[in-house]
Amino acid sequence: MHTGRSLRRRCAARTRAWITLAAVLTPLAAASAAGEPGPTLFGFTAQQAPAELSAEQRFDGALNAADLRAWLKNLASAPNQVGSPHDKANAEFVRDLFRQWGWQAQIEVFDVLYPTLRQHSLELVAPGYFKASLAEPPVEGDATSAAAGIMPPYNVYGADGDVTAELVYVNYGMPKDYLELARRGVDVKGKIVIARYGSGWRGLKPKLAWEHGAIGCLIYSDPHEDGYAQGDVYPKGGWRPPEGVQRGSVLDVTLYSGDPLTPGVGATKDARRLAIADAKTILKIPVMPISYADAQPLLAALGGRVAPAAWRGSLPVTYHIGPGPAKVHLSITSDWGLKPLYDVIARIPGRDSPNEWVVRGNHRDGWVFGAWDPLSGQVAMLAEAKAIGQLVKSGWRPQRTLVYASWDGEEPGLLGSTEWAEQHAAELAARAVLYLNSDSNARGFLAAGGSHALQHLVNQVAGTVQDPETGVSTQARLRARMLAEGYARSPAEDEDADEARREARLAAAGGDLPIRALGSGSDYTPFLQHLGLTSLSIEYHGEDDQAGVYHSSYDSFDHYVRFGDPSFAYGVVEAETVGHVILRMADADVLPFEFAGFADTIGAYAEELHHATDERRRKSAELARLLDQNAFGLAADPTRVVAPPAREAPVPQLDFGPLDAVVARLKASAHAYDAAYARLLAGELKPDATRRARLNALLQGMEQKLTEEQGLPGRAWYRHFVYAPGMLTGYGVKTLPGVREAVDGNRWDEAAAYIPISAAVLARYCDAIDAATALLH
């Protein structure tokens, strides 16, 4: 589902300090000279480490890039969206591979609401006439682009409808865009809006349009974002051609993911289901994705005000806002029936601790062929499974049970993973020590995110995996990238520059590199944010042109082997990285958690809350002064009237004391545990088997301590109080979300209420760390 581009946290602690050249070069040189990581194997004593490293070396030796290429070509040979014949065929193919390699594999079936397109049409009916093609023609050199059975582009879970109305251009269709429309006196009530992809998750665009009174929504891919403004278009280059369309789900996953009719329970045949009209995550207006070839005549027919400079894309037209005189007729009908999902679940029972599970997943369904998204990640996971099977045949067995999952139905709304997680919620809560996810994979840099108690483990593994393009470790290459981006990016020009420079400071310090917080957009969501399981996402990307064919019929094998990972070297690197994490989580006597990184990260999130609140207070006061001085009125062009921004209520003082106090306690508790764990690995502490079992049981449930049963405000399904997707970002993460969402929404009473609630959640986590420390002694 996700684009393969890193989701950056907005860092509130602003800084303008430049990193000196010495700070840039010294850690990098030291890392290269020393060969990251250090001499110890985190999670293992000196006596245990050689056996673990031997298993990992044998695992690496079993990985074969030719396997990945062959599997990808087969899996992406026909359309494999939910309900297609090839979707089921792929499930059976993957199940049979697992069985061939010695895994216990089966297919679990869930029945979900999945609207399949019956018909759609789009016409410009005034001032002229134009009929949109709503199709992607074959491309020379792309064998599958002319295949039969390609589902036409559509946005699943948009409403059926037949509407005709004036058109309004709303830029990205995000909240700040509607504020700008209001300042210009433009109302979308009773209109059809056209928004461009970008700046926020697609499902928010029609949702916000409906909330503002629109009766239909078109979403198009502007070449400014992923077409000829970025590079040569397919087939000459990798970027989106004029007729390319980004399909996608508009299911309101900010409320809950999974089948819209069975929230909170698995969508089995006998599950109780909501009526479609009562499903809160289904959109209320028709939504249609279109190409920039189809969008250009519509935009050219718009009149009204010329769009602000920041709203203008790269099409050869003057961007107007409207409304009218362009009027469009939009019609969509879908088959709103149940469709089967085929989740492939494979197991290797653990030798000593079979009731502790290490769970690994990647989805298998695509929007059409899905070579990039998701099959590039799927084949890397299959390579891991084959290599583990060879280890088992050689006599090795994991200490803990391995569970590998090939998910179906991720693209429509994380359906397969969510239904399985909800169906097996009690088992997972009691047994899962890790859920590790991936999605797409390509040339580039390590992109890791998730539970920060595993940040050190991820760093140590990345320090041992060699980047195939440079020969240094993937950790060293990522460190270099963070340093270079921190130097190059200017806060005045780039809203992500503060985050880049924060990462650069951490990289320059020479320790662990930060992993990102996870919002939503892939199958980790039900495991992390609903069940509260320790979770990771690990992929490689950053040197690819995948965005140009994202969710289109041109996301094909032929495109991937030209522009993604031609040699499949990064597929092998992905399998090595993830495989080593899986093996270490499976075999460490005591689960390899380190809490200092988590504590420091929580401290940074708390600082961001302070800064965000102070910045809103400053901006509110500044706006009031400017309004009192009539500054906007005096500065405005009288021939192009733009109303001033609306006055904001003053920002009250918030008492962050409970949160600051628990952060201090968290850092102390983390330091004590990490010191004791280091003594365990050094052989200085030797808890008996009973205490180790109690300790692992406690660590297994650590992430669950960060959840609350009542969930987050307005969306009880999301229970995690450290990481959640934003209500107005969709995929993008909000950290300490109970407080942060309220601060960002100027809901000050709610923010004040959730500071002590969030502090209490973190205090409970501290209690668990302290109990774990006691068990080590």
Side-chain angles (χ1 to χ4, degrees):
M1 174 179 285
H2 70 81
T3 65
R5 291 170 289 185
S6 178
L7 299 174
R8 295 187 176 277
R9 293 193 306 274
R10 267 52 173 177
C11 179
R14 307 289 180 182
T15 179
R16 299 295 185 268
W18 289 94
I19 301 170
T20 65
L21 184 60
V24 171
L25 296 178
T26 301
L28 200 59
S32 299
E36 296 179 61
T40 60
L41 190 65
F42 187 65
F44 299 85
T45 66
Q47 292 73 34
Q48 297 165 337
E52 178 64 21
L53 291 173
S54 174
E56 291 177 11
Q57 289 167 359
R58 287 179 286 145
F59 171 90
D60 293 349
L63 301 174
N64 185 345
D67 286 341
L68 279 74
R69 183 185 180 92
W71 296 328
L72 184 68
K73 188 169 187 177
N74 180 66
L75 291 166
S77 62
N80 54 66
Q81 72 273 3
V82 170
S84 66
H86 197 59
D87 180 44
K88 184 179 182 182
N90 277 351
E92 294 168 346
F93 173 74
V94 169
R95 177 201 60 194
D96 293 347
L97 285 179
F98 274 112
R99 288 178 175 175
Q100 176 184 325
W101 300 329
W103 294 69
Q104 301 172 5
Q106 62 182 8
I107 294 175
E108 289 195 39
V109 180
F110 296 97
D111 295 294
V112 299
L113 179 70
Y114 183 80
T116 303
L117 185 68
R118 283 180 174 172
Q119 71 80 29
H120 64 169
S121 63
L122 175 65
E123 302 167 294
L124 176 72
V125 296
Y129 182 81
F130 167 76
K131 185 175 179 64
S133 70
L134 306 181
E136 296 174 308
V139 167
E140 183 179 358
D142 190 311
T144 55
S145 65
I150 295 176
M151 176 68 69
Y154 78 117
N155 285 134
V156 68
Y157 298 112
D160 286 356
D162 191 315
V163 293
T164 301
E166 287 186 314
L167 191 65
V168 177
Y169 175 54
V170 295
N171 192 28
Y172 295 114
M174 301 307 288
K176 64 181 181 181
D177 297 320
Y178 284 98
L179 294 177
E180 289 301 313
L181 288 173
R183 293 181 65 191
R184 288 159 176 80
V186 177
D187 188 352
V188 303
K189 187 174 182 179
K191 309 295 194 299
I192 294 173
V193 305
I194 181 167
R196 55 176 168 159
Y197 274 112
S199 187
W201 173 59
R202 81 179 70 82
L204 290 172
K205 301 172 190 288
K207 179 181 179 180
L208 290 167
W210 172 72
E211 290 176 350
H212 285 84
I215 61 173
C217 179
L218 305 174
I219 314 176
Y220 82 99
S221 300
D222 197 285
H224 180 269
E225 272 68 48
D226 61 8
Y228 53 73
Q230 299 296 324
D232 290 325
V233 302
Y234 195 51
K236 181 179 181 181
W239 293 94
R240 192 177 302 275
E243 297 84 5
V245 185
Q246 182 189 142
R247 296 155 178 81
S249 177
V250 292
L251 192 72
D252 192 358
V253 294
T254 63
L255 298 177
Y256 59 87
S257 68
D259 176 30
L261 304 187
T262 60
V265 298
T268 57
K269 287 188 180 297
D270 57 354
R272 289 189 61 183
R273 286 174 166 81
L274 300 173
I276 292 177
D278 295 330
K280 296 180 179 179
T281 56
I282 296 175
L283 270 290
K284 309 300 183 185
I285 59 175
V287 189
M288 181 181 289
I290 62 176
S291 66
Y292 58 85
D294 280 342
Q296 183 172 328
L298 308 183
L299 294 169
L302 277 171
R305 299 281 291 271
V306 174
W311 288 35
R312 302 168 197 166
S314 296
L315 289 170
V317 299
T318 300
Y319 285 71
H320 289 264
I321 294 174
K327 181 180 287 188
V328 298
H329 171 220
L330 164 64
S331 176
I332 302 174
T333 308
S334 294
D335 173 9
W336 291 78
L338 299 183
K339 297 289 190 300
L341 299 179
Y342 304 102
D343 286 344
V344 180
I345 308 298
R347 289 179 169 84
I348 291 179
R351 181 187 69 244
D352 302 320
S353 303
N355 289 329
E356 295 177 6
W357 295 356
V358 180
V359 187
R360 165 79 170 104
N362 198 108
H363 78 100
R364 187 189 64 255
D365 66 298
W367 271 115
V368 187
F369 305 105
W372 287 79
D373 180 12
L375 295 175
S376 59
Q378 177 80 191
V379 297
M381 185 180 76
L382 291 177
E384 300 161 30
K386 181 180 180 181
I388 290 170
Q390 291 190 26
L391 283 178
V392 171
K393 290 177 181 177
S394 73
W396 173 90
R397 286 287 296 276
Q399 179 174 314
R400 299 179 176 87
T401 293
L402 301 182
V403 180
Y404 267 50
S406 174
W407 305 121
D408 199 0
E410 188 266 4
E411 295 294 0
L414 319 182
L415 305 184
S417 58
T418 299
E419 299 317 309
W420 190 82
E422 291 176 339
Q423 180 67 15
H424 299 279
E427 291 175 282
L428 289 164
R431 298 180 179 182
V433 301
L434 172 67
Y435 174 72
L436 198 157
N437 191 73
S438 58
D439 203 309
S440 59
N441 195 78
R443 294 190 311 116
F445 302 87
L446 173 68
S451 302
H452 284 81
L454 293 180
Q455 180 170 280
H456 184 64
L457 174 64
V458 171
N459 269 266
Q460 192 177 73
V461 167
T464 65
V465 175
Q466 187 180 74
D467 176 73
E469 291 181 328
T470 64
V472 302
S473 74
T474 61
Q475 185 200 43
R477 191 173 189 217
L478 179 60
R479 188 185 303 278
R481 186 195 199 195
M482 288 180 175
L483 291 167
E485 287 198 350
Y487 172 81
R489 295 170 80 163
S490 166
E493 302 169 354
D494 185 348
E495 63 178 359
D496 286 339
D498 288 311
E499 174 69 0
R501 297 179 68 73
R502 185 190 72 86
E503 290 180 345
R505 290 198 308 276
L506 294 172
D512 286 342
L513 300 177
I515 64 174
R516 72 184 190 276
L518 295 177
S520 188
S522 197
D523 289 305
Y524 50 76
T525 292
F527 299 96
L528 177 62
Q529 283 124 354
H530 181 57
L531 298 182
L533 304 179
T534 300
S535 299
L536 287 172
S537 172
I538 296 177
E539 301 168 349
Y540 285 83
H541 47 68
E543 294 179 328
D544 53 80
D545 293 348
Q546 188 253 358
V549 296
Y550 177 61
H551 286 190
S552 77
S553 62
Y554 309 126
D555 179 356
S556 64
F557 176 81
D558 289 326
H559 188 285
Y560 185 79
V561 297
R562 287 184 61 195
F563 303 108
D565 184 14
S567 67
F568 289 82
Y570 279 91
V572 171
V573 164
E574 165 76 355
E576 288 181 0
T577 307
V578 172
H580 292 189
V581 172
I582 292 293
L583 294 179
R584 294 185 195 185
M585 287 295 292
D587 280 344
D589 275 355
V590 174
L591 291 167
F593 289 13
E594 191 222 52
F595 295 106
F598 174 78
D600 289 342
T601 300
I602 295 296
Y605 297 162
E607 289 178 9
E608 290 174 10
L609 287 174
H610 279 278
H611 180 84
T613 305
D614 291 344
E615 183 66 8
R616 284 188 173 270
R617 184 179 298 109
R618 184 190 69 78
K619 292 288 287 185
S620 174
E622 181 182 5
L623 176 59
R625 286 193 299 271
L626 293 174
L627 290 171
D628 291 342
Q629 297 166 5
N630 192 28
F632 296 99
L634 295 173
D637 181 343
T639 67
R640 298 182 179 90
V641 177
V642 177
R647 189 179 295 268
E648 297 176 356
V651 176
Q653 294 292 331
L654 295 179
D655 180 11
F656 286 107
L659 198 55
D660 295 338
V662 79
V663 167
R665 182 191 167 194
L666 178 60
K667 291 181 177 181
S669 295
H671 176 77
Y673 177 86
D674 292 349
Y677 189 62
R679 293 180 64 196
L680 171 77
L681 297 183
E684 299 173 16
L685 297 178
K686 298 180 180 180
D688 60 26
T690 300
R691 292 174 73 85
R692 285 201 306 273
R694 289 171 58 196
L695 175 58
N696 279 323
L698 184 59
L699 294 173
Q700 181 273 328
M702 282 298 296
E703 198 79 17
Q704 295 173 55
K705 301 294 191 296
L706 298 172
T707 65
E708 282 285 353
E709 186 65 28
Q710 77 271 19
L712 293 170
R715 44 182 182 152
W717 190 86
Y718 286 95
R719 299 173 180 168
H720 207 294
F721 269 60
V722 174
Y723 318 112
M727 286 290 285
L728 292 175
T729 59
Y731 292 170
V733 67
K734 293 290 183 180
T735 55
L736 298 177
V739 184
R740 185 57 188 262
E741 288 270 272
V743 168
D744 290 348
N746 295 317
R747 302 188 299 274
W748 303 112
D749 289 344
E750 182 181 307
Y754 273 86
I755 289 171
I757 294 173
S758 300
V761 169
L762 292 170
R764 187 167 64 235
Y765 193 84
C766 291
D767 292 341
I769 294 177
D770 294 342
T773 304
L775 286 170
L776 281 170
H777 287 89

